[in-house]
Amino acid sequence: QIHLVESGGGLVQTGGSLRLSCVVSGGTFSNYAMGWFRQAPGMERQFVAIINWVGDHTTYADPVVGRFTITRDNAKSTLVLEMNSLGPEDTAVYSCAASRKYYSAYDYAYDHWGQGIQVTVSS
């Protein structure tokens, strides 16, 4: 019933920054723990970062610790991923996901997914 729409992807050079947004509609945003996942060519989908319902707890995957920041604005029903110091290894399709019940790094815990946004980091 809810819809998630990502935006902000694109092409950046190594060392650059990018800001991804995910706007949620059709439901109460604060009812959902949220996560960002990514999938690179030839690779399985990978957990990136998660944030709880209130936004006072976050967890990051090891490859992005210290470089990425996940935030949420419940007043705007928006999830954000700030990405800094990007490298080619960050190239992937990034998707936001919503879980009504779980704060989880596992993709199967999520009920709803966005369409995915391409992030390409050039050498």
Side-chain angles (χ1 to χ4, degrees):
Q1 291 183 344
I2 68 168
H3 296 87
L4 295 75
V5 180
E6 300 99 335
S7 62
L11 175 66
V12 295
Q13 295 184 8
T14 296
S17 300
L18 205 61
R19 183 181 186 269
L20 303 182
S21 296
C22 173
V23 177
V24 177
S25 61
T28 302
F29 181 56
S30 60
N31 285 345
Y32 299 90
M34 300 293 297
W36 286 101
F37 294 79
R38 67 187 184 186
Q39 188 167 28
M43 307 290 284
E44 68 178 11
R45 187 161 53 198
Q46 179 187 37
F47 151 72
V48 176
I50 54 174
I51 188 166
N52 75 335
W53 296 259
V54 177
D56 59 354
H57 291 279
T58 59
T59 306
Y60 297 91
D62 287 344
V64 310
V65 169
R67 300 189 299 120
F68 290 13
T69 302
I70 185 171
T71 58
R72 66 188 297 161
D73 186 341
N74 284 352
K76 296 181 178 179
S77 297
T78 300
L79 176 74
V80 173
L81 184 68
E82 299 274 6
M83 303 184 293
N84 300 311
S85 301
L86 288 164
E89 68 275 11
D90 297 311
T91 294
V93 173
Y94 284 72
S95 299
C96 63
S99 175
R100 196 175 188 97
K101 189 173 182 179
Y102 300 105
Y103 177 72
S104 177
Y106 296 104
D107 56 3
Y108 60 74
Y110 289 82
D111 305 307
H112 306 281
W113 293 82
Q115 80 283 4
I117 287 289
Q118 179 69 48
V119 171
T120 302
V121 185
S122 62
S123 301

